[in-house]
Amino acid sequence: QQPVQSPQAVILREGEDAVINCSSSKALYSVHWYRQKHGEAPVFLMILLKGGEQKGHEKISASFNEKKQQSSLYLTASQLSYSGTYFCGTGASGGSNYKLTFGKGTLLTVNP
Amino acid sequence: DTEVTQTPKHLVMGMTNKKSLKCEQHMGHRAMYWYKQKAKKPPELMFVYSYEKLSINESVPSRFSPECPNSSLLNLHLHALQPEDSALYLCASSQPGNSPLHFGNGTRLTVT
């Protein structure tokens, strides 16, 4: 089942913060986050496993709350290079990432 | 530079043509994937190969035929496609299990 992402789009000025949410109606084992720039391949950002752990990648971090069946991606002090579409991907319970289902994406635009 | 290489980058084919998309990775990954992505949509899983064996077929029409000749190569054979099959076809690889997906830059397919 496809996870739900919000917001659908967000526009920031350089240096501002943003939060992207990903939720599922089914129990989650893990959440993947990817960023795709226009005309390019999706690029892996991080994986979160159940346990509520928070991971970081540069100034991008994420949390995973398996009880609430949701994950949030935090972008702090945004840079122009952060622009792109962010997808969360959720794997079915059991640990396999083979059937990773992506949300519809959040288009992030960072302006000077 | 992506470590997953896809050829060709662009392909235009008629509905009666037969063509193949190719994907190669040298990261030692034993899982390989085909995804289809329409404009402004998330990638949709088509096929998964694990240890060179087809493990998942997401009810893809038979006009798409995958092949995994060895652990580094993945092909997608196309025959009698429809205009609605026009899309970006992404190949990805990963270690088996809950691991990051590494995407190629894709083949942009147009069916006329």
Side-chain angles (χ1 to χ4, degrees):
Chain A
Q1 191 166 357
Q2 187 176 43
V4 178
Q5 285 186 236
S6 63
Q8 291 184 342
V10 59
I11 299 175
L12 302 174
R13 286 199 178 274
E14 205 172 1
E16 292 181 338
D17 302 339
V19 179
I20 300 172
N21 300 303
C22 175
S23 63
S24 174
S25 58
K26 295 180 70 174
L28 296 176
Y29 179 82
S30 66
V31 178
H32 293 220
W33 286 97
Y34 293 80
R35 176 173 63 209
Q36 185 175 28
K37 293 181 180 286
H38 182 68
E40 298 181 9
V43 174
F44 169 76
L45 294 176
M46 62 191 76
I47 289 178
L48 297 107
L49 305 176
K50 65 179 181 179
E53 62 185 292
Q54 192 153 347
K55 293 224 170 190
H57 175 80
E58 298 176 346
K59 292 183 181 177
I60 301 173
S61 62
S63 63
F64 177 32
N65 187 324
E66 71 267 21
K67 285 187 178 178
K68 293 185 178 180
Q69 295 168 191
Q70 66 184 33
S71 175
S72 295
L73 187 71
Y74 306 94
L75 300 102
T76 58
S78 59
Q79 305 170 14
L80 297 176
S81 61
Y82 287 2
S83 292
T85 301
Y86 289 77
F87 294 103
C88 68
T90 54
S93 177
S96 170
N97 72 320
Y98 294 159
K99 291 194 71 171
L100 200 63
T101 303
F102 290 98
K104 292 185 177 181
T106 296
L107 178 60
L108 177 73
T109 303
V110 181
N111 292 320
Chain B
D1 287 339
T2 180
E3 296 177 75
V4 178
T5 304
Q6 289 187 243
T7 56
K9 290 184 179 180
H10 301 274
L11 179 63
V12 180
M13 61 184 291
M15 289 188 286
T16 58
N17 291 159
K18 284 185 179 181
K19 296 286 184 182
S20 296
L21 309 185
K22 296 185 183 300
C23 174
E24 187 170 6
Q25 59 90 11
H26 293 288
M27 293 179 284
H29 291 164
R30 301 308 298 273
M32 296 187 76
Y33 312 75
W34 281 114
Y35 280 85
K36 174 182 177 180
Q37 186 176 28
K38 291 275 203 179
K40 298 186 179 181
K41 299 289 186 183
E44 294 180 12
L45 184 63
M46 300 175 70
F47 302 104
V48 181
Y49 274 84
S50 178
Y51 294 96
E52 295 89 69
K53 292 185 179 179
L54 183 64
S55 62
I56 294 177
N57 176 340
E58 289 288 272
S59 302
V60 178
S62 60
R63 57 185 184 268
F64 295 91
S65 176
E67 178 196 19
C68 190
N70 59 55
S71 59
S72 301
L73 294 174
L74 185 66
N75 298 321
L76 186 62
H77 303 296
L78 314 172
H79 173 56
L81 295 191
Q82 303 297 311
E84 58 265 27
D85 296 322
S86 298
L88 180 67
Y89 288 84
L90 293 163
C91 172
S93 70
S94 77
Q95 295 294 358
N98 204 1
S99 301
L101 298 182
H102 295 254
F103 285 91
N105 284 327
T107 293
R108 189 160 299 281
L109 175 68
T110 303
V111 182
T112 61

